[in-house]
Amino acid sequence: MTDTSGTPLLVVDDVAVHFGGVKAVDGISFEIAEGSITGIIGPNGSGKSTLIAALTRFVPLTRGALTFDGVDLHRLRASDIARHGIARTFQTVRLLPDLTVEENVRLGADVSKDRRGAPERVASALEATGLTEVRRSYPGELSYGTQRRVEIARAVAMAPRLLLLDEPTAGMNQGERTEITGLMKQLSADGLTQLLVEHDVQMMLDACDHLVAMAAGRLITNGNPADVVRHPGVREAYLGRKWGADARA
Ligand SMILES: Nc1ncnc2c1ncn2[C@@H]1O[C@H](COP(=O)(O)OP(=O)(O)O)[C@@H](O)[C@H]1O
Ligand SMILES: [Mg+2]
């Protein structure tokens, strides 16, 4: 649910991340309202994953500032980001194959300062993601879509205030994608703020309260999802590509 009247949970202010001569992110500014789902779209190489990496302090900023809940993220160590309430999933599945679903999710719950509350966080994350039934299974026994849900559950078990999802539906079929959209909306209704990177424009329209469009490290436009996908600069960035679900490379 968007509450644009409140103080933003995250302020991205003129952020740049350069790798030598590569300007992966080059002057991006936008805000994320508490409880909202914000999407980032843009062709491959736009700098979407680099921006996510900057938010978890995985890469240093070349310029600009990231302010999360009033705290300058630059002042935190990368190892403190999760405890400050920012959790992420990766573009590829990164589960430990020798641990059960429940044990994988427990790894997320243990990141929080409140260790005693971990079992409850695991149980509610499994419940929220519909994984209670398969909690004793091993990742290799599950479909790809379900493995991705375990990743989301692990991040949710950290009890974050901001969840970063980098292409959570990559490799999923339409049904699984719809399922993830439903899950995200449910988490949003529970008050969890989310930042989502996806290529599937229809999914972004369905899931997001706010859209940010990037190309070549720069912001094209940001705002209401329907307006953003109609923006001529956004269409131009995708020129020569099929518009929609098949835009993924
Ligand atoms: N660690 C890195 N070192 C050098 N270049 C990088 C690094 N990470 C990303 N890049 C480059 O930055 C640009 C943006 O990449 P990325 O953030 O992965 O884009 P997206 O997620 O939008 O596809 C690309 O040109 C990519 O090759
Ligand atoms: Mg990426």
Side-chain angles (χ1 to χ4, degrees), residues 44-45 47-50 91 166-167 197 199:
N44 280 332
K48 305 179 300 293
S49 292
T50 302
Q91 222 174 315
D166 194 358
E167 302 197 25
V197 172
H199 285 292

PDB file of all heavy atoms in Angstrom, residues 44-45 47-50 91 166-167 197 199, ligand 2:
ATOM      1  N   ASN A  44      18.930  -5.318 -20.055  1.00  0.00           N
ATOM      2  CA  ASN A  44      20.117  -5.890 -19.413  1.00  0.00           C
ATOM      3  C   ASN A  44      21.271  -4.901 -19.505  1.00  0.00           C
ATOM      4  O   ASN A  44      21.444  -4.236 -20.520  1.00  0.00           O
ATOM      5  CB  ASN A  44      20.517  -7.205 -20.072  1.00  0.00           C
ATOM      6  CG  ASN A  44      19.664  -8.357 -19.575  1.00  0.00           C
ATOM      7  OD1 ASN A  44      19.168  -8.317 -18.448  1.00  0.00           O
ATOM      8  ND2 ASN A  44      19.476  -9.354 -20.413  1.00  0.00           N
ATOM      9  N   GLY A  45      22.043  -4.823 -18.418  1.00  0.00           N
ATOM     10  CA  GLY A  45      23.173  -3.909 -18.388  1.00  0.00           C
ATOM     11  C   GLY A  45      22.804  -2.487 -17.982  1.00  0.00           C
ATOM     12  O   GLY A  45      23.640  -1.593 -18.009  1.00  0.00           O
ATOM     13  N   GLY A  47      22.137  -1.460 -15.022  1.00  0.00           N
ATOM     14  CA  GLY A  47      22.655  -1.113 -13.703  1.00  0.00           C
ATOM     15  C   GLY A  47      21.713  -1.471 -12.556  1.00  0.00           C
ATOM     16  O   GLY A  47      21.942  -1.084 -11.405  1.00  0.00           O
ATOM     17  N   LYS A  48      20.680  -2.267 -12.853  1.00  0.00           N
ATOM     18  CA  LYS A  48      19.692  -2.616 -11.833  1.00  0.00           C
ATOM     19  C   LYS A  48      20.326  -3.428 -10.700  1.00  0.00           C
ATOM     20  O   LYS A  48      20.156  -3.120  -9.520  1.00  0.00           O
ATOM     21  CB  LYS A  48      18.537  -3.419 -12.469  1.00  0.00           C
ATOM     22  CG  LYS A  48      17.869  -2.713 -13.650  1.00  0.00           C
ATOM     23  CD  LYS A  48      16.739  -3.536 -14.273  1.00  0.00           C
ATOM     24  CE  LYS A  48      17.130  -4.885 -14.837  1.00  0.00           C
ATOM     25  NZ  LYS A  48      18.026  -4.815 -16.032  1.00  0.00           N
ATOM     26  N   SER A  49      21.057  -4.484 -11.069  1.00  0.00           N
ATOM     27  CA  SER A  49      21.686  -5.332 -10.042  1.00  0.00           C
ATOM     28  C   SER A  49      22.777  -4.565  -9.291  1.00  0.00           C
ATOM     29  O   SER A  49      22.975  -4.781  -8.090  1.00  0.00           O
ATOM     30  CB  SER A  49      22.286  -6.595 -10.663  1.00  0.00           C
ATOM     31  OG  SER A  49      21.248  -7.423 -11.149  1.00  0.00           O
ATOM     32  N   THR A  50      23.458  -3.674  -9.982  1.00  0.00           N
ATOM     33  CA  THR A  50      24.494  -2.872  -9.315  1.00  0.00           C
ATOM     34  C   THR A  50      23.860  -1.958  -8.267  1.00  0.00           C
ATOM     35  O   THR A  50      24.407  -1.779  -7.170  1.00  0.00           O
ATOM     36  CB  THR A  50      25.278  -2.049 -10.354  1.00  0.00           C
ATOM     37  OG1 THR A  50      25.852  -2.950 -11.313  1.00  0.00           O
ATOM     38  CG2 THR A  50      26.377  -1.235  -9.699  1.00  0.00           C
ATOM     39  N   GLN A  91      19.913 -13.058  -7.995  1.00  0.00           N
ATOM     40  CA  GLN A  91      19.381 -13.345  -9.323  1.00  0.00           C
ATOM     41  C   GLN A  91      19.394 -14.853  -9.598  1.00  0.00           C
ATOM     42  O   GLN A  91      18.618 -15.360 -10.394  1.00  0.00           O
ATOM     43  CB  GLN A  91      20.214 -12.601 -10.370  1.00  0.00           C
ATOM     44  CG  GLN A  91      19.369 -11.963 -11.457  1.00  0.00           C
ATOM     45  CD  GLN A  91      20.193 -11.119 -12.409  1.00  0.00           C
ATOM     46  OE1 GLN A  91      21.037 -10.341 -11.988  1.00  0.00           O
ATOM     47  NE2 GLN A  91      19.954 -11.273 -13.684  1.00  0.00           N
ATOM     48  N   ASP A 166      15.896  -9.416  -6.658  1.00  0.00           N
ATOM     49  CA  ASP A 166      16.506  -9.253  -7.981  1.00  0.00           C
ATOM     50  C   ASP A 166      16.077 -10.405  -8.886  1.00  0.00           C
ATOM     51  O   ASP A 166      16.568 -11.523  -8.757  1.00  0.00           O
ATOM     52  CB  ASP A 166      18.029  -9.191  -7.852  1.00  0.00           C
ATOM     53  CG  ASP A 166      18.700  -8.678  -9.127  1.00  0.00           C
ATOM     54  OD1 ASP A 166      17.983  -8.402 -10.114  1.00  0.00           O
ATOM     55  OD2 ASP A 166      19.940  -8.553  -9.128  1.00  0.00           O
ATOM     56  N   GLU A 167      15.152 -10.126  -9.773  1.00  0.00           N
ATOM     57  CA  GLU A 167      14.604 -11.108 -10.714  1.00  0.00           C
ATOM     58  C   GLU A 167      14.178 -12.411 -10.026  1.00  0.00           C
ATOM     59  O   GLU A 167      14.655 -13.496 -10.384  1.00  0.00           O
ATOM     60  CB  GLU A 167      15.603 -11.377 -11.844  1.00  0.00           C
ATOM     61  CG  GLU A 167      15.969 -10.086 -12.596  1.00  0.00           C
ATOM     62  CD  GLU A 167      16.612 -10.330 -13.948  1.00  0.00           C
ATOM     63  OE1 GLU A 167      16.367 -11.396 -14.532  1.00  0.00           O
ATOM     64  OE2 GLU A 167      17.329  -9.443 -14.415  1.00  0.00           O
ATOM     65  N   VAL A 197      13.228  -6.122  -8.999  1.00  0.00           N
ATOM     66  CA  VAL A 197      13.763  -6.015 -10.352  1.00  0.00           C
ATOM     67  C   VAL A 197      13.185  -7.160 -11.164  1.00  0.00           C
ATOM     68  O   VAL A 197      13.294  -8.320 -10.765  1.00  0.00           O
ATOM     69  CB  VAL A 197      15.306  -6.104 -10.362  1.00  0.00           C
ATOM     70  CG1 VAL A 197      15.839  -6.181 -11.796  1.00  0.00           C
ATOM     71  CG2 VAL A 197      15.919  -4.915  -9.642  1.00  0.00           C
ATOM     72  N   HIS A 199      11.873  -8.199 -15.549  1.00  0.00           N
ATOM     73  CA  HIS A 199      11.710  -7.779 -16.951  1.00  0.00           C
ATOM     74  C   HIS A 199      10.253  -7.839 -17.393  1.00  0.00           C
ATOM     75  O   HIS A 199       9.870  -7.173 -18.345  1.00  0.00           O
ATOM     76  CB  HIS A 199      12.515  -8.700 -17.873  1.00  0.00           C
ATOM     77  CG  HIS A 199      13.972  -8.446 -17.821  1.00  0.00           C
ATOM     78  ND1 HIS A 199      14.538  -7.297 -18.300  1.00  0.00           N
ATOM     79  CD2 HIS A 199      14.992  -9.183 -17.325  1.00  0.00           C
ATOM     80  CE1 HIS A 199      15.846  -7.341 -18.117  1.00  0.00           C
ATOM     81  NE2 HIS A 199      16.142  -8.481 -17.522  1.00  0.00           N
TER      82      HIS A 199
HETATM   83 MG    MG B   2      20.713  -7.817 -13.139  1.00  0.00          MG
END
